[in-house]
Amino acid sequence: MKKLIEIAALAVLTAGALSAGVQAQPAPTVGTGAGFHDPRSPIKPLQEREGVLAWALLSSVSTKVEKNKLIPVFPAQVRALDKQKVRVQGFMMPLEPGDKQQHFLLSAVPTSCAFCVPAGPEGLIEVRSKQPVRYSLEAITLEGQLSVLSDDPYGMFYRLTDGQALKP
């Protein structure tokens, strides 16, 4: 799954840049940002808000290779968020069919392709919500307990449990 996320993120970046007439940039690596927001997207990018965890902080993670595995190296500020109640905003990526979701990914950038992952693991949060959350193309804000994951079998860096959707 880790490799799939990396490949999908690279494909989204490359396709978006080429179709927008943007000169290709060097291939991104995991741990270099929260994802690529296509400038042609009708969906506005996220704006940082007071009291809401910033994706710039979450994406400040770096990685190292250890025993053929990609291991996240979290700054102290990010490690301090482990098991803390936080508010995050982002774009929903459903993992199951239906218009209401209790298990989904939250992304720092909207998807530009139904089959593509818009960011690497530093730009995604796996969410398990208390109540189903209605799918929306617009950004949503959630509150829940954040886990900072050092060795997730699926390659995720963050998980939000007991999530609750907040009113915009």
Side-chain angles (χ1 to χ4, degrees):
M1 174 125 176
K2 288 186 282 190
K3 197 63 164 170
L4 176 62
I5 290 172
E6 290 177 46
I7 292 168
L10 179 58
V12 169
L13 287 171
T14 304
L18 292 176
S19 61
V22 176
Q23 186 175 6
Q25 300 296 315
T29 59
V30 174
T32 60
F36 176 76
H37 189 281
D38 189 331
R40 299 164 300 157
S41 174
I43 302 169
K44 293 179 184 172
L46 294 175
Q47 300 296 314
E48 285 194 22
R49 296 176 19 216
E50 188 173 328
V52 176
L53 187 56
W55 282 100
L57 176 60
L58 292 176
S59 66
S60 66
V61 62
S62 60
T63 57
K64 65 180 178 180
V65 176
E66 199 172 275
K67 297 182 182 176
N68 292 331
K69 286 178 71 174
L70 200 58
I71 306 295
V73 179
F74 299 102
Q77 278 186 294
V78 174
R79 284 193 316 267
L81 295 170
D82 190 41
K83 306 293 184 241
Q84 298 298 312
K85 188 174 184 178
V86 299
R87 288 183 175 189
V88 294
Q89 64 177 342
F91 300 94
M92 183 185 262
M93 292 181 57
L95 294 174
E96 302 164 344
D99 66 338
K100 291 186 177 181
Q101 304 285 311
Q102 281 189 269
H103 182 213
F104 55 93
L105 297 179
L106 194 68
S107 172
V109 295
T111 58
S112 57
C113 165
F115 305 101
C116 301
V117 180
E122 70 279 6
L124 299 170
I125 300 173
E126 179 185 10
V127 176
R128 298 266 184 185
S129 65
K130 288 182 180 180
Q131 303 295 323
V133 177
R134 182 172 298 281
Y135 175 72
S136 171
L137 291 174
E138 298 299 319
I140 61 171
T141 304
L142 301 165
E143 184 174 76
Q145 181 176 312
L146 184 71
S147 294
V148 178
L149 309 170
S150 295
D151 193 21
D152 184 68
Y154 297 106
M156 299 300 297
F157 290 176
Y158 305 106
R159 182 171 295 120
L160 188 79
T161 54
D162 294 328
Q164 292 183 304
L166 302 176
K167 304 270 185 214

